[in-house]
Amino acid sequence: MSLLAVTGIRKSFGPVDVLHGVDFKVDAGEVVGLVGDNGAGKSTLMKIVTGMYSADAGDVALEGESILGKTPGERRALGVEMIYQDLALARQQDVAANIFLGREPVRTLMGMKFVDRLTMKRQAQAMIDRLGAKLPAINRPVGSFSGGQQQSVAIARALTFNPKIVIMDEPTAALAVREVQGVLDLIRQLREEGIGVILISHRLNDVLSATDRIVVLHHGRAAANLTTAETNMAEVVSAIVGGSDMVEAAAHEARA
Ligand SMILES: Nc1ncnc2c1ncn2[C@@H]1O[C@H](COP(=O)(O)OP(=O)(O)OP(=O)(O)O)[C@@H](O)[C@H]1O
Ligand SMILES: [Mg+2]
């Protein structure tokens, strides 16, 4: 049984058909790259997994059970985390507030409930340290941080509640070279811990170096499903630009 199984997903926005029946699977401890041209439907497909968008048809199952009837919050509680392409941070709030947004620990004192800011700060600092992220100050509004620093906060938020699956939508887009290596190392560490990871990225070198498998979306269809160890840049690129026919043709050419 797969950790995550997406089957027959269809989605239209008004008259525009974006996903045409996509199947997609991730096992525990597996890192799957999801690649494709701008507008191929990658973010849309993953937002259907998190419940941010509803599907027109198909199913999303976590450990064999459909989660389509669950809210985004319920899916997070079940261990489905996503780092959104736009990061989706509360810019006026500090690091701890962002990490715990909607899931703040509560303490009861003399019958009254308080948000436990101290625990939040402590755990936020611990996660930032674990990620090796360099932030100017943990108690500053994250809107004042650089793109890479904000990315670190979004990653910390996704990892704080022991996820089963982490979906990263362009997690390295705003990062410098050294920070990119940090994220790729982190992905390998998550794999070791048995977490399923989906990496969406246009940086194909990163995808080739960090994943076990690569799924190519082309015009809303899964055009290729490649084992990373058995593929190469040229094959991935031809699937991205041409869909499966091109991959067949390239494979045929290679055999000839
Ligand atoms: N909320 C929305 N309303 C209308 N159309 C949308 C919406 N979200 C996405 N789309 C459309 O769906 C298509 C797929 O978009 P999506 O963001 O999933 O692509 P993507 O593969 O993530 O691209 P990129 O690599 O640029 O991030 C695009 O044509 C986009 O315009
Ligand atoms: Mg996208």
Side-chain angles (χ1 to χ4, degrees):
M1 179 180 54
S2 303
L3 173 61
L4 178 76
V6 166
T7 41
I9 292 292
R10 293 179 171 276
K11 179 71 180 174
S12 305
F13 291 106
V16 185
D17 292 334
V18 174
L19 299 171
H20 301 267
V22 178
D23 294 346
F24 184 88
K25 279 183 177 182
V26 183
D27 284 328
E30 187 184 30
V31 182
V32 181
L34 181 59
V35 301
D37 215 342
N38 294 120
K42 307 179 296 293
S43 296
T44 301
L45 181 64
M46 291 302 114
K47 286 175 179 174
I48 287 170
V49 171
T50 65
M52 189 117 147
Y53 291 161
S54 60
D56 297 335
D59 195 19
V60 178
L62 185 71
E63 296 175 325
E65 280 195 41
S66 178
I67 56 171
L68 271 195
K70 310 258 183 219
T71 65
E74 288 167 343
R75 296 185 202 194
R76 287 180 80 190
L78 289 171
V80 179
E81 288 282 355
M82 178 159 171
I83 299 155
Y84 291 94
Q85 199 165 8
D86 63 5
L87 303 183
L89 296 171
R91 296 177 55 84
Q92 293 84 359
Q93 309 257 23
D94 69 10
V95 175
N98 268 282
I99 288 179
F100 287 91
L101 209 63
R103 297 187 280 193
E104 292 84 357
V106 172
R107 207 159 49 100
T108 308
L109 205 63
M110 295 192 286
M112 299 218 285
K113 287 189 192 308
F114 295 90
V115 170
D116 190 350
R117 283 284 309 169
L118 200 65
T119 298
M120 282 170 61
K121 268 181 91 162
R122 224 176 23 232
Q123 289 190 19
Q125 187 65 59
M127 183 53 78
I128 292 299
D129 291 346
R130 184 187 150 194
L131 295 177
K134 300 207 167 31
L135 303 182
I138 193 162
N139 56 359
R140 268 217 231 145
V142 302
S144 69
F145 290 176
S146 76
Q149 290 163 345
Q150 293 189 28
Q151 201 110 47
S152 300
V153 176
I155 292 173
R157 176 170 64 186
L159 298 184
T160 293
F161 291 86
N162 300 318
K164 288 184 177 151
I165 184 148
V166 178
I167 302 163
M168 301 185 171
D169 198 348
E170 295 289 350
T172 57
L175 301 187
V177 180
R178 192 173 45 81
E179 295 171 320
V180 170
Q181 284 313 313
V183 172
L184 299 184
D185 289 345
L186 174 69
I187 289 172
R188 296 186 187 103
Q189 198 183 320
L190 296 176
R191 174 206 276 139
E192 299 274 296
E193 293 171 18
I195 295 167
V197 179
I198 299 169
L199 172 63
I200 300 178
S201 180
H202 289 290
R203 296 181 185 236
L204 297 182
N205 278 319
D206 296 353
V207 175
L208 282 162
S209 84
T211 65
D212 302 303
R213 198 151 57 75
I214 301 173
V215 172
V216 182
L217 268 195
H218 186 258
H219 294 328
R221 290 192 167 82
N225 182 4
L226 307 163
T227 302
T228 307
E230 295 165 5
T231 189
N232 54 48
M233 181 69 91
E235 194 175 33
V236 176
V237 169
S238 66
I240 290 172
V241 298
S244 54
D245 295 349
M246 290 285 288
V247 177
E248 288 297 317
H252 188 260
E253 207 168 289
R255 278 195 298 272

